[in-house]
Amino acid sequence: MTPTPTVGRAAFVAARARAVRGLRGRVLEIGAGRGANFADLGPGVEWLGLESAAGPRRRLAVNARRHGHLAPPIAASAESVPLPASSVDGVLGTTVLCSVRDPAAVLDEVARVLVPGGRLVLAEHVAAPPGSGVRALQQAVRPWTRLLDHGCDPTRDTAAAVARSPLRLETVTWFLVPVLGRLGVPFVVIEASAPR
Ligand SMILES: C[S@@+](CC[C@H](N)C(=O)[O-])C[C@H]1O[C@@H](n2cnc3c(N)ncnc32)[C@H](O)[C@@H]1O
Protein backbone atom coordinates (compact mmCIF):
# COMPACT_ATOMS: atom_id res chain seq x y z
CA MET A 1 0.00 0.00 0.00
CA THR A 2 1.26 3.52 -0.85
CA PRO A 3 1.81 5.64 2.31
CA THR A 4 0.16 9.06 2.55
CA PRO A 5 2.22 11.45 0.43
CA THR A 6 3.53 14.82 1.56
CA VAL A 7 1.85 17.54 -0.48
CA GLY A 8 3.84 20.27 -2.21
CA ARG A 9 6.74 20.86 -4.59
CA ALA A 10 8.94 22.43 -1.89
CA ALA A 11 8.87 19.25 0.22
CA PHE A 12 9.79 17.12 -2.79
CA VAL A 13 12.63 19.44 -3.82
CA ALA A 14 14.00 19.48 -0.25
CA ALA A 15 13.87 15.66 0.03
CA ARG A 16 15.57 15.28 -3.37
CA ALA A 17 18.34 17.70 -2.33
CA ARG A 18 18.85 15.84 0.97
CA ALA A 19 19.16 12.50 -0.82
CA VAL A 20 21.57 13.93 -3.44
CA ARG A 21 23.72 15.46 -0.68
CA GLY A 22 24.05 11.99 0.87
CA LEU A 23 25.93 10.64 -2.16
CA ARG A 24 29.69 10.24 -1.71
CA GLY A 25 32.79 9.51 -3.77
CA ARG A 26 32.51 8.88 -7.50
CA VAL A 27 28.93 9.55 -8.60
CA LEU A 28 27.45 8.75 -12.03
CA GLU A 29 24.44 10.90 -12.96
CA ILE A 30 22.33 9.19 -15.64
CA GLY A 31 20.17 11.23 -18.04
CA ALA A 32 21.76 14.33 -16.56
CA GLY A 33 20.10 16.70 -19.04
CA ARG A 34 21.60 20.16 -18.72
CA GLY A 35 22.69 19.48 -15.14
CA ALA A 36 20.05 20.26 -12.56
CA ASN A 37 21.74 18.78 -9.52
CA PHE A 38 25.20 20.34 -9.26
CA ALA A 39 24.20 22.67 -6.44
CA ASP A 40 23.10 19.74 -4.29
CA LEU A 41 26.15 17.48 -4.72
CA GLY A 42 28.27 17.19 -1.60
CA PRO A 43 31.80 18.60 -1.48
CA GLY A 44 34.40 16.17 -2.75
CA VAL A 45 32.04 14.29 -5.05
CA GLU A 46 33.70 13.21 -8.29
CA TRP A 47 30.83 13.68 -10.77
CA LEU A 48 30.47 11.73 -14.00
CA GLY A 49 27.54 12.66 -16.22
CA LEU A 50 25.87 10.45 -18.81
CA GLU A 51 23.43 11.92 -21.31
CA SER A 52 22.17 10.31 -24.51
CA ALA A 53 21.00 13.46 -26.32
CA ALA A 54 23.57 15.71 -28.00
CA GLY A 55 21.82 19.06 -27.39
CA PRO A 56 21.49 18.82 -23.59
CA ARG A 57 24.92 17.17 -23.42
CA ARG A 58 26.61 20.28 -24.86
CA ARG A 59 24.94 22.48 -22.22
CA LEU A 60 25.75 19.87 -19.57
CA ALA A 61 29.47 20.06 -20.40
CA VAL A 62 29.43 23.84 -19.96
CA ASN A 63 27.46 23.72 -16.71
CA ALA A 64 29.61 20.91 -15.34
CA ARG A 65 32.82 22.90 -15.95
CA ARG A 66 31.24 25.91 -14.28
CA HIS A 67 30.73 23.76 -11.17
CA GLY A 68 34.29 22.43 -11.28
CA HIS A 69 33.49 19.01 -12.81
CA LEU A 70 35.94 18.69 -15.67
CA ALA A 71 35.22 15.17 -16.97
CA PRO A 72 33.34 15.51 -20.28
CA PRO A 73 29.81 14.04 -20.12
CA ILE A 74 29.55 10.47 -21.41
CA ALA A 75 27.62 10.15 -24.68
CA ALA A 76 25.74 6.89 -24.12
CA SER A 77 22.43 5.48 -23.10
CA ALA A 78 21.81 4.40 -19.54
CA GLU A 79 20.81 0.94 -20.81
CA SER A 80 24.45 0.37 -21.77
CA VAL A 81 26.85 2.31 -19.54
CA PRO A 82 30.44 2.33 -20.88
CA LEU A 83 32.01 1.95 -17.41
CA PRO A 84 33.52 -1.13 -15.78
CA ALA A 85 31.65 -3.16 -13.15
CA SER A 86 31.93 -1.86 -9.57
CA SER A 87 33.40 1.46 -10.68
CA VAL A 88 31.19 4.10 -9.00
CA ASP A 89 30.12 4.73 -5.40
CA GLY A 90 26.80 6.32 -6.28
CA VAL A 91 24.30 6.70 -9.12
CA LEU A 92 21.87 9.59 -9.41
CA GLY A 93 18.87 10.05 -11.70
CA THR A 94 16.23 12.78 -11.55
CA THR A 95 13.15 12.56 -13.79
CA VAL A 96 14.95 10.11 -16.03
CA LEU A 97 13.49 6.62 -15.39
CA CYS A 98 10.27 8.00 -16.90
CA SER A 99 12.16 8.63 -20.14
CA VAL A 100 14.50 5.71 -20.69
CA ARG A 101 13.57 3.05 -23.25
CA ASP A 102 14.02 0.09 -20.86
CA PRO A 103 13.93 0.83 -17.09
CA ALA A 104 14.79 -2.79 -16.12
CA ALA A 105 17.92 -2.74 -18.30
CA VAL A 106 18.94 0.62 -16.79
CA LEU A 107 18.56 -0.71 -13.24
CA ASP A 108 20.60 -3.81 -14.16
CA GLU A 109 23.34 -1.47 -15.41
CA VAL A 110 23.13 0.61 -12.22
CA ALA A 111 23.58 -2.56 -10.15
CA ARG A 112 26.54 -3.57 -12.32
CA VAL A 113 28.48 -0.29 -12.15
CA LEU A 114 27.91 0.34 -8.42
CA VAL A 115 30.45 -0.96 -5.94
CA PRO A 116 28.94 -3.45 -3.47
CA GLY A 117 26.90 -1.34 -1.03
CA GLY A 118 27.00 1.66 -3.43
CA ARG A 119 24.01 3.99 -3.37
CA LEU A 120 21.29 4.82 -5.91
CA VAL A 121 19.20 7.97 -5.57
CA LEU A 122 16.24 8.53 -7.89
CA ALA A 123 13.73 11.38 -7.85
CA GLU A 124 10.91 10.68 -10.27
CA HIS A 125 7.31 11.39 -11.16
CA VAL A 126 5.34 8.15 -11.20
CA ALA A 127 1.95 6.67 -12.04
CA ALA A 128 -1.04 7.76 -9.96
CA PRO A 129 -3.12 4.94 -8.39
CA PRO A 130 -5.10 2.87 -10.93
CA GLY A 131 -8.67 4.12 -11.26
CA SER A 132 -7.84 7.69 -10.20
CA GLY A 133 -8.61 10.69 -12.39
CA VAL A 134 -4.91 11.61 -12.52
CA ARG A 135 -4.07 8.10 -13.76
CA ALA A 136 -6.69 8.42 -16.51
CA LEU A 137 -5.15 11.73 -17.51
CA GLN A 138 -1.64 10.23 -17.45
CA GLN A 139 -2.88 7.45 -19.79
CA ALA A 140 -4.49 10.02 -22.09
CA VAL A 141 -1.43 12.28 -22.43
CA ARG A 142 1.07 9.39 -22.62
CA PRO A 143 1.22 9.19 -26.46
CA TRP A 144 1.98 12.92 -26.59
CA THR A 145 4.58 12.98 -23.79
CA ARG A 146 6.28 9.93 -25.36
CA LEU A 147 6.50 11.85 -28.61
CA LEU A 148 7.29 15.36 -27.41
CA ASP A 149 8.93 15.15 -23.96
CA HIS A 150 12.14 13.06 -24.13
CA GLY A 151 10.07 9.84 -24.51
CA CYS A 152 8.49 10.47 -21.09
CA ASP A 153 5.98 7.82 -19.93
CA PRO A 154 3.93 9.25 -17.03
CA THR A 155 2.45 5.83 -16.14
CA ARG A 156 5.61 4.14 -14.83
CA ASP A 157 5.83 2.58 -11.37
CA THR A 158 9.53 3.20 -10.75
CA ALA A 159 9.53 2.07 -7.10
CA ALA A 160 8.17 -1.33 -8.20
CA ALA A 161 10.82 -1.49 -10.95
CA VAL A 162 13.59 -0.90 -8.38
CA ALA A 163 12.04 -3.53 -6.08
CA ARG A 164 12.17 -6.06 -8.97
CA SER A 165 15.79 -5.14 -9.86
CA PRO A 166 18.99 -6.62 -8.38
CA LEU A 167 19.25 -3.53 -6.14
CA ARG A 168 18.13 -3.43 -2.51
CA LEU A 169 15.24 -0.97 -2.21
CA GLU A 170 15.72 0.97 1.03
CA THR A 171 13.32 3.92 1.14
CA VAL A 172 10.57 5.33 -1.04
CA THR A 173 9.26 8.74 0.06
CA TRP A 174 6.03 9.84 -1.60
CA PHE A 175 4.96 13.35 -2.60
CA LEU A 176 1.99 14.88 -4.34
CA VAL A 177 3.29 17.74 -6.46
CA PRO A 178 0.90 20.22 -8.07
CA VAL A 179 1.76 20.18 -11.76
CA LEU A 180 -1.03 21.79 -13.79
CA GLY A 181 -2.78 24.22 -11.49
CA ARG A 182 -4.00 22.11 -8.58
CA LEU A 183 -3.57 18.73 -10.24
CA GLY A 184 -1.43 16.61 -7.87
CA VAL A 185 0.96 14.19 -9.55
CA PRO A 186 2.77 11.55 -7.45
CA PHE A 187 6.54 11.92 -7.17
CA VAL A 188 8.96 9.68 -5.29
CA VAL A 189 12.44 9.95 -3.85
CA ILE A 190 13.92 6.45 -3.92
CA GLU A 191 17.08 5.29 -2.15
CA ALA A 192 18.51 1.86 -2.91
CA SER A 193 21.85 0.11 -2.64
CA ALA A 194 23.84 -2.47 -4.56
CA PRO A 195 24.06 -5.90 -2.93
CA ARG A 196 27.21 -6.44 -0.84
C1 LIG B 1 13.28 14.98 -18.21
S1 LIG B 1 14.96 15.09 -18.62
C2 LIG B 1 15.70 15.26 -17.00
C3 LIG B 1 17.06 15.86 -17.03
C4 LIG B 1 17.73 16.05 -15.66
N1 LIG B 1 17.99 14.78 -15.02
C5 LIG B 1 16.92 16.95 -14.75
O1 LIG B 1 16.50 16.50 -13.68
O2 LIG B 1 16.72 18.11 -15.14
C6 LIG B 1 15.40 13.42 -19.05
C7 LIG B 1 16.79 13.32 -19.63
O3 LIG B 1 17.12 11.94 -19.80
C8 LIG B 1 17.75 11.78 -21.05
N2 LIG B 1 17.55 10.38 -21.45
C9 LIG B 1 16.43 9.81 -21.91
N3 LIG B 1 16.62 8.49 -22.15
C10 LIG B 1 17.90 8.25 -21.82
C11 LIG B 1 18.71 7.07 -21.83
N4 LIG B 1 18.19 5.89 -22.22
N5 LIG B 1 19.99 7.16 -21.44
C12 LIG B 1 20.51 8.36 -21.02
N6 LIG B 1 19.79 9.50 -20.98
C13 LIG B 1 18.51 9.44 -21.37
C14 LIG B 1 17.07 12.78 -21.96
O4 LIG B 1 17.85 13.08 -23.11
C15 LIG B 1 16.90 13.96 -21.01
O5 LIG B 1 18.01 14.81 -21.04
Side-chain angles (χ1 to χ4, degrees):
M1 201 180 69
T2 305
T4 309
T6 304
V7 178
R9 178 171 294 280
F12 167 69
V13 169
R16 180 182 64 193
R18 247 191 328 274
V20 174
R21 270 198 301 275
L23 291 167
R24 297 276 178 271
R26 193 171 197 231
V27 173
L28 172 69
E29 181 169 2
I30 55 172
R34 296 172 177 200
N37 297 302
F38 291 125
D40 295 323
L41 289 172
V45 161
E46 181 195 345
W47 176 88
L48 294 175
L50 180 148
E51 170 54 53
S52 58
R57 201 169 54 241
R58 277 191 293 275
R59 290 298 306 270
L60 181 63
V62 173
N63 286 337
R65 276 198 300 275
R66 200 172 285 151
H67 284 85
H69 302 292
L70 304 183
I74 301 166
S77 87
E79 286 87 350
S80 180
V81 178
L83 291 177
S86 303
S87 58
V88 298
D89 304 292
V91 173
L92 168 63
T94 60
T95 49
V96 63
L97 267 283
C98 55
S99 298
V100 300
R101 185 177 34 80
D102 184 345
V106 171
L107 293 167
D108 284 350
E109 276 296 78
V110 169
R112 184 185 68 78
V113 299
L114 278 172
V115 297
R119 318 276 313 158
L120 168 67
V121 169
L122 294 173
E124 300 283 342
H125 65 84
V126 291
S132 66
V134 173
R135 179 63 171 265
L137 193 63
Q138 288 175 323
Q139 289 289 155
V141 299
R142 182 176 181 272
W144 301 104
T145 58
R146 298 283 286 163
L147 196 65
L148 302 171
D149 186 14
H150 310 282
C152 174
D153 179 352
T155 65
R156 288 194 172 158
D157 185 348
T158 300
V162 175
R164 284 192 301 269
S165 80
L167 297 155
R168 201 161 67 95
L169 179 60
E170 293 182 352
T171 59
V172 184
T173 314
W174 290 83
F175 301 88
L176 212 49
V177 175
V179 169
L180 292 174
R182 295 171 62 188
L183 185 75
V185 169
F187 278 67
V188 286
V189 174
I190 295 172
E191 296 192 61
S193 61
R196 286 181 188 277

